[in-house]
């Protein structure tokens, strides 16, 4: 990052940290454990789960806001709402998600701050950052989290209405940019960033339009889940339809079945098959497995065409079907 601006970055970091953490660092891990009334080893486990391992129990590295958050978590344990192990699991998940978010947002904010210092000076830039920008971002996080949690509960109830269980099979989809590696060698980093931004935007819109969930974006690929086979195929079709013809083509693979959910991710045979189907697909093609084909409505506006079984890594004679427009 270019830091040629006339700004004391250490002073900037200190002021922003104090604002974000709610005050100066006043507790060691040992002090906080005693203050809150938790075992020191459990406290260490909490900091590690969050992504901040503390090597020196007597170093002054924690704030009163850390103490307040820890008290709140322990109060939930005392009420029997969660177990101590579940607190660690929630903390680990939150730490992983927000570490990625903070890194992306932090890079953007640093550029904005340095530009602001050059234009209006350090004091005014910090006032705008801490008075407006950071509270707005924090409020946005809470708002989006509430919307996402409400959407999850709605999907779960709808699934229960359909199947009589909240742990039914799901449809998993992968989509990626075909030939991305070769394409990345021929364009500038800025053009590559624009391509990935476009892919993320179109993929996210397609998933959201059919009650799906983006599990993760991995460079030129998206992993998503959908409540039904039909919605999974609709997501893939919308993504491919919206993708510009002058860009490297997109392909998708979809499988249906049980998954293991952990820390916001999905794992298992169904996920592996969706990934393999994507690798089998040609540019602009959607490949689906037998379970997805069986779950499609008979009056769909497209047709599925069986393909010859193929051997892929981990699977011999993998059966698949392509989704094609019905021109009859």
């Amino acid at each position: 990052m270019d830091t040629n601006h006339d700004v004391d970055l250490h002073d900037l970091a200190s002021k922003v940290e104090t604002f974000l953490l709610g005050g100066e660092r006043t507790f060691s891990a040992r002090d906080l454990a005693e203050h809150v009334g938790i075992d020191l080893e459990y406290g260490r486990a909490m900091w590690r789960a969050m992504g901040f391992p503390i090597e020196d129990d007597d170093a002054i590295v924690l704030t009163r806001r850390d103490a307040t958050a820890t008290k709140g978590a322990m109060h939930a344990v005392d009420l029997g709402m969660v177990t101590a192990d579940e607190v660690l699991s929630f903390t680990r998940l939150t730490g992983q998600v927000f570490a990625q978010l903070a890194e992306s947002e932090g890079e953007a904010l640093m550029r904005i701050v340095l530009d602001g210092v050059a234009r209006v000076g350090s004091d005014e830039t910090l006032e705008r950052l801490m008075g407006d920008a950071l509270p707005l971002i924090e409020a946005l996080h809470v708002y989006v989290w509430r919307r996402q949690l409400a959407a999850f509960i709605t999907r779960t109830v709808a699934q229960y209405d359909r199947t009589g269980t909240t742990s039914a099979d799901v449809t998993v989809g992968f989509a990626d940019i075909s030939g991305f590696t070769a394409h990345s060698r021929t364009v500038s980093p800025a053009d590559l960033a624009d391509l990935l931004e476009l892919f993320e935007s179109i993929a996210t819109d397609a998933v959201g339009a059919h009650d799906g969930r983006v599990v993760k974006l991995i460079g030129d690929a998206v992993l998503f889940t959908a409540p039904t086979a039909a919605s999974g195929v609709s997501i893939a079709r919308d993504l491919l339809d919206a993708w510009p013809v002058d860009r490297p083509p997109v392909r998708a693979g979809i499988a249906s079945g049980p998954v293991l959910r952990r820390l916001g991710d999905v794992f298992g045979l169904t996920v592996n098959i969706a990934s393999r189907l994507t690798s089998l697909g040609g540019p602009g093609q959607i490949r689906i497995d037998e379970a997805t084909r069986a779950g499609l409505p008979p009056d769909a506006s497209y047709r599925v065409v069986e393909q010859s079984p193929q051997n892929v890594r981990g699977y011999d004679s993998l059966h698949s079907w392509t989704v094609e427009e019905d021109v009859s």
Side-chain angles (χ1 to χ4, degrees):
M1 180 181 294
D2 181 12
T3 58
N4 293 327
H5 302 286
D6 184 18
V7 55
D8 185 339
L9 290 180
H10 294 284
D11 181 62
L12 174 93
S14 177
K15 290 178 179 177
V16 172
E17 179 189 272
T18 299
F19 172 79
L20 290 173
L21 300 185
E24 301 289 340
R25 301 184 184 217
T26 55
F27 289 100
S28 69
R30 193 184 307 279
D31 294 335
L32 192 143
E34 182 177 347
H35 177 74
V36 175
I38 63 171
D39 180 73
L40 177 58
E41 180 55 40
Y42 184 76
R44 292 195 201 102
M46 287 189 68
W47 318 136
R48 286 196 302 270
M50 199 183 304
F52 303 106
I54 297 177
E55 298 180 0
D56 183 352
D57 294 334
D58 296 307
I60 305 300
V61 293
L62 301 170
T63 71
R64 292 194 176 278
R65 183 164 290 175
D66 293 314
T68 299
T70 306
K71 279 184 179 179
M74 293 303 98
H75 182 60
V77 173
D78 292 340
L79 291 176
M81 297 172 58
V82 292
T83 67
D85 286 343
E86 286 172 334
V87 168
L88 292 180
S89 181
F90 283 132
T91 302
R92 190 175 301 111
L93 170 60
T94 306
Q96 290 177 3
V97 171
F98 276 96
Q100 297 176 353
L101 186 61
E103 185 170 323
S104 297
E105 291 177 343
E107 289 180 354
L109 282 173
M110 283 298 294
R111 287 193 296 269
I112 292 171
V113 166
L114 293 176
D115 179 64
V117 169
R119 290 186 296 103
V120 300
S122 178
D123 290 343
E124 185 172 344
T125 298
L126 282 174
E127 182 178 343
R128 292 178 180 178
L129 177 69
M130 294 185 285
D132 297 310
L134 292 177
L136 175 62
I137 292 171
E138 183 177 32
L140 181 62
H141 289 169
V142 174
Y143 166 73
V144 174
W145 169 76
R146 285 177 176 270
R147 292 291 304 182
Q148 291 287 0
L149 187 58
F152 170 79
I153 293 172
T154 299
R155 289 196 302 268
T156 302
V157 172
Q159 178 176 283
Y160 182 82
D161 289 341
R162 290 193 310 270
T163 65
T165 176
T166 59
S167 58
D169 293 348
V170 298
T171 294
V172 176
F174 266 103
D176 67 11
I177 301 174
S178 181
F180 176 80
T181 301
H183 178 74
S184 66
R185 300 192 188 104
T186 66
V187 298
S188 69
D191 288 339
L192 199 61
D194 288 343
L195 178 66
L196 293 176
E197 177 69 24
L198 177 65
F199 177 77
E200 292 179 6
S201 175
I202 292 177
T204 302
D205 286 349
V207 172
H210 297 281
D211 296 323
R213 181 177 76 87
V214 173
V215 177
K216 56 186 173 183
L217 290 155
I218 320 158
D220 68 317
V222 60
L223 169 62
F224 63 87
T225 59
T228 65
S231 59
V233 169
S234 293
I235 289 169
R237 294 181 74 218
D238 280 6
L239 199 169
L240 268 62
D241 287 346
W243 189 248
V245 296
D246 61 343
R247 299 299 182 104
V250 172
R251 59 186 179 176
I254 300 173
S256 299
V259 296
L260 170 65
R261 300 179 187 271
R262 179 168 174 76
L263 299 179
D265 208 340
V266 290
F267 304 89
L269 181 66
T270 304
V271 180
N272 294 340
I273 291 176
S275 176
R276 301 297 184 270
L277 290 173
T278 306
S279 65
L280 286 178
Q285 193 174 78
I286 301 171
R287 290 267 186 140
I288 65 175
D289 72 339
E290 186 170 7
T292 302
R293 180 192 64 82
L296 296 177
D299 58 347
S301 60
Y302 48 83
R303 62 194 181 101
V304 293
V305 179
E306 186 171 6
Q307 304 298 307
S308 299
Q310 293 177 263
N311 295 331
V312 295
R313 182 165 56 90
Y315 302 90
D316 294 332
S317 299
L318 181 62
H319 289 261
S320 68
W321 287 255
T322 56
V323 176
E324 303 179 4
E325 295 302 318
D326 190 352
V327 296
S328 59

